Amino acid sequence: MNPTNPAPAAKTDTSEASRRESLSVVDNRTGRQYEFAIQNGTIRAGDLRKIKTSEDDFGLMSYDPAFLNTASCTSRITYIDGEKGILRYRGYAIEELAEKSTYLETAYLLMYGQLPNREQLADWVYHITHHTFIHESIKKFLDGFHYDAHPMGMMISAVAALSTFYPDAKHIFDPASRQKQIYRLIGKMPTIAAFAYRHSLGMPYVYPDNDLSYPGNFLNMLLRTTELKFRPNPTLERALDVLFILHADHEQNCSTSAMRGVGSSHADPYSATAAATAALYGPLHGGANEAVLRMLMQIGAKGSVPAYIQRVKAGEEKLMGFGHRVYKNYDPRARIVKRLAYEVFEVMGRNELIDIALECERIALEDEYFVSRKLYPNVDFYTGLIYQSMGFPVTMFPVLFAIPRTSGWVSQWQEMLLDPEQKIARPRQVYLGPELRSYVPVSERSGS
Ligand code: ACO
């Protein structure tokens, strides 16, 4: 970037010869012109600091509350085109992975950038399967919670507590240590989730069964009672695996940004994952599918949908499960989840709320209000219906999100650690508070 003074008269020359990968701006306060390099469709925010009115000026910053238009990192993990409704992990379409892959294979892909060969997959599955047990003291730790403790609260605490059991986790720049914590995190999340669930029911914990698949074992730890060997229903086992694939990563969302942000201070991965899980707990993120279910129950009948839509258009309600910060088209995951819902209903019986959901979607997709705002169903519109049909209480919905998102979190965490451009995350602010003022003793303050 080169500041020049004064600014030449603005001319528009778009000939091939004059085209450069750069942006020219004129600071109208000084008349100076600056040229910024454009790389990958971005300018460097740091370059703006060179735009100054005087030597002691701090320089220009960009103001972007909630990071609506700020890339905080480069990443090679997940690609989203929100306008076209495209989601890819490491270049593979989500539709193809959901159809042909398994969650653990997808987790490997996220982590290492390539699909594993047979041997690599067997090794990966073996190590994750052999890190599913949790220390007996973690079990006692979970016992300390009230019977009605929210499972997300239990999960956040238990994951944070894991860091105290694995002090080696702080060696984050030792590849072997990192690898071990990744096995442990992906392996233990379902165990903690299932133990939290069993605790809320007052039922004894079920230990992992290494003969079962990742989702099959999760169902085992949730559901097993007196049978000697738990045999998961294959449709439900596959449905859960597909839901896990769909939720594995979604680039720089709120919880992933929390994982990277906390990880950037070089905290151990358990502490960072606890922070990411906490971010996922919020109803604007991992809690939206619960809100959809409550909305469908509130609507109550297919015939009441038009009246509800009218209230949404009047700004009195939101159509939960519609709209997305990034997708301005049908969320590709929502299409897959909708199909999956029918497969689960085949086994568990039809969830009556599906008719209300379909009617909401039918009316909304034809209505000018939703069409003009590009509001389409997002992944959460149908997941709650599936989880409810499978017998999960609504409090478990965000937990079912946190389990698979762990693979995305640890992949993004490792990418951040190994990125030489990254430093501790530390945004700037625009200070609008008072100027310097003198302290006044309490006896002299007005109103004393
Ligand atoms: N129902 C009705 N109107 C909506 C909805 C909705 N679900 N979503 C957005 N709009 C309207 C807004 O009121 C706004 O209208 P206006 O231009 O007249 O003011 C317009 O559409 C643009 O919406 P924004 O709020 O600017 O979009 P933003 O990107 O900030 O919000 C969000 C995205 C939070 C997902 C929003 O669409 C929403 O609240 N949806 C419902 C909650 C939900 O389903 N969340 C799950 C997201 S997926 C996930 O996290 C896994």
Side-chain angles (χ1 to χ4, degrees):
M1 190 212 61
N2 306 306
T4 52
N5 192 16
K11 274 194 215 144
T12 312
D13 182 353
T14 53
S15 65
E16 202 61 47
S18 69
R19 237 178 254 161
R20 296 195 295 276
E21 284 300 303
S22 66
L23 172 77
S24 294
V25 290
V26 177
D27 182 352
N28 292 323
R29 300 169 302 176
T30 59
R32 286 200 187 101
Q33 177 171 315
Y34 300 82
E35 186 176 344
F36 303 120
I38 296 179
Q39 202 182 8
N40 302 318
T42 65
I43 56 161
R44 295 248 163 192
D47 281 352
L48 298 175
R49 289 280 295 282
K50 292 174 187 162
I51 303 181
K52 298 178 176 206
T53 51
S54 63
E55 266 316 298
D56 55 0
D57 183 355
F58 180 78
L60 213 62
M61 292 192 294
S62 61
Y63 175 56
D64 189 10
F67 308 117
L68 290 177
N69 196 39
T70 296
S72 61
C73 61
T74 56
S75 181
R76 288 174 170 75
I77 300 174
T78 291
Y79 172 77
I80 301 176
D81 183 331
E83 291 297 323
K84 296 194 183 125
I86 293 174
L87 170 62
R88 294 181 199 141
Y89 296 157
R90 301 283 191 180
Y92 293 94
I94 192 68
E95 292 82 359
E96 205 178 357
L97 291 170
E99 193 192 329
K100 299 176 183 164
S101 186
T102 61
Y103 169 66
L104 282 190
E105 183 183 63
T106 298
Y108 183 101
L109 172 69
L110 288 171
M111 199 67 230
Y112 301 108
Q114 301 295 340
L115 285 169
N117 63 28
R118 204 184 290 271
E119 213 173 288
Q120 289 165 328
L121 181 62
D123 185 70
W124 172 248
V125 172
Y126 176 89
H127 280 102
I128 289 174
T129 307
H130 287 79
H131 285 91
T132 46
F133 274 68
I134 53 176
H135 196 286
E136 285 293 294
S137 295
I138 285 279
K139 210 177 78 178
K140 288 188 209 139
F141 179 78
L142 291 171
D143 276 337
F145 283 98
H146 271 280
Y147 73 94
D148 59 352
H150 196 291
M152 274 302 262
M154 294 172 76
M155 196 164 204
I156 294 163
S157 320
V159 175
L162 286 182
S163 74
T164 66
F165 289 83
Y166 306 114
D168 55 315
K170 60 173 160 299
H171 304 305
I172 56 170
F173 290 107
D174 171 358
S177 168
R178 249 192 346 255
Q179 181 65 75
K180 193 155 208 178
Q181 316 319 322
I182 287 164
Y183 292 143
R184 284 172 173 156
L185 270 163
I186 298 175
K188 290 177 202 310
M189 286 296 264
T191 313
I192 293 171
F195 280 27
Y197 175 67
R198 301 282 292 207
H199 178 77
S200 69
L201 297 178
M203 289 181 74
Y205 303 123
V206 177
Y207 286 92
D209 180 343
N210 288 358
D211 294 340
L212 297 174
S213 71
Y214 189 83
N217 173 49
F218 181 49
L219 289 169
N220 161 61
M221 294 187 291
L222 291 169
L223 304 175
R224 190 170 148 213
T225 50
T226 54
E227 59 272 48
L228 284 179
K229 182 84 180 167
F230 180 83
R231 308 247 172 243
N233 177 295
T235 304
L236 300 185
E237 183 181 10
R238 179 63 191 155
L240 209 50
D241 213 26
V242 173
L243 287 165
F244 283 178
I245 292 171
L246 300 182
H247 286 89
D249 195 51
H250 212 233
E251 51 122 306
Q252 308 312 314
N253 55 80
C254 181
S255 57
T256 302
S257 300
M259 182 83 191
R260 280 181 175 258
V262 173
S264 77
S265 77
H266 295 174
D268 69 82
Y270 301 104
S271 303
T273 303
T277 313
L280 193 69
Y281 195 177
L284 294 185
H285 191 7
N289 46 16
E290 176 180 343
V292 172
L293 211 63
R294 292 194 195 286
M295 175 190 77
L296 296 176
M297 290 191 286
Q298 184 197 334
I299 296 173
K302 199 172 154 184
S304 308
V305 172
Y308 188 83
I309 296 280
Q310 281 310 321
R311 294 221 302 282
V312 171
K313 288 162 67 175
E316 294 164 24
E317 306 274 1
K318 264 196 169 170
L319 189 56
M320 297 310 289
F322 262 67
H324 197 277
R325 172 59 61 78
V326 179
Y327 293 117
K328 301 303 168 196
N329 202 323
Y330 215 101
D331 180 337
R333 300 168 300 175
R335 248 192 214 102
I336 301 166
V337 173
K338 192 172 166 184
R339 273 202 309 273
L340 207 59
Y342 287 99
E343 290 172 26
V344 171
F345 297 164
E346 285 280 308
V347 179
M348 303 303 289
R350 192 177 163 83
N351 186 331
E352 298 300 327
L353 295 176
I354 186 81
D355 295 324
I356 302 174
L358 289 172
E359 186 67 354
C360 285
E361 183 183 334
R362 189 187 67 76
I363 295 180
L365 293 185
E366 288 173 357
D367 192 297
E368 168 59 17
Y369 175 95
F370 298 91
V371 173
S372 64
R373 289 171 176 78
K374 298 186 178 176
L375 301 172
Y376 292 86
N378 60 50
V379 68
D380 285 324
F381 194 60
Y382 290 104
T383 48
L385 290 175
I386 299 186
Y387 296 148
Q388 192 189 44
S389 293
M390 289 176 84
F392 288 108
V394 285
T395 51
M396 280 296 282
F397 291 4
V399 170
L400 292 163
F401 195 155
I403 293 170
R405 185 51 63 85
T406 302
S407 61
W409 288 333
V410 291
S411 304
Q412 299 268 355
W413 167 72
Q414 175 153 281
E415 186 177 61
M416 179 271 305
L417 283 181
L418 302 182
D419 182 347
E421 281 199 313
Q422 288 295 335
K423 288 173 181 284
I424 185 167
R426 204 311 186 179
R428 294 278 178 179
Q429 65 164 10
V430 178
Y431 177 72
L432 297 177
E435 296 291 334
L436 179 66
R437 46 186 175 162
S438 296
Y439 180 85
V440 180
V442 68
S443 56
E444 293 169 27
R445 287 175 213 158
S446 57
S448 305

